[in-house]
Amino acid sequence: MSQQLNNALEDVGKSMSTLRIAIKGIPVRREGFKGLHDQFARSVATLTTHMSYARVLLDEEAAERRKRRRR
């Protein structure tokens, strides 16, 4: 499960890089796009941060180690 999360985070990072390149040609204040983009980028950053912290919880080996320590 942790590997799937790593792949998803990698894909999100690639997509955000592609978006950054794509918006360079758009006028900054056109139709409120800049505000929408900034809000979206902040939301994605928050999501990826939370997903990164959840990686430890999804790692099966780490879960087994935590169970063994409790005994």
Side-chain angles (χ1 to χ4, degrees), residues 40-54:
F40 175 73
R42 273 187 234 106
S43 297
V44 170
T46 302
L47 175 66
T48 56
T49 302
H50 289 298
M51 288 173 64
S52 292
Y53 285 127

Side-chain angles (χ1 to χ4, degrees), residues 25-64:
I26 299 174
V28 175
R29 306 225 187 274
R30 183 79 176 186
E31 304 292 327
F33 180 77
K34 177 73 167 134
L36 289 173
H37 171 267
D38 290 346
Q39 182 181 2
F40 175 73
R42 273 187 234 106
S43 297
V44 170
T46 302
L47 175 66
T48 56
T49 302
H50 289 298
M51 288 173 64
S52 292
Y53 285 127
R55 185 179 316 172
V56 176
L57 300 174
L58 296 174
D59 186 12
E60 290 89 15
E61 293 175 9
E64 288 297 321

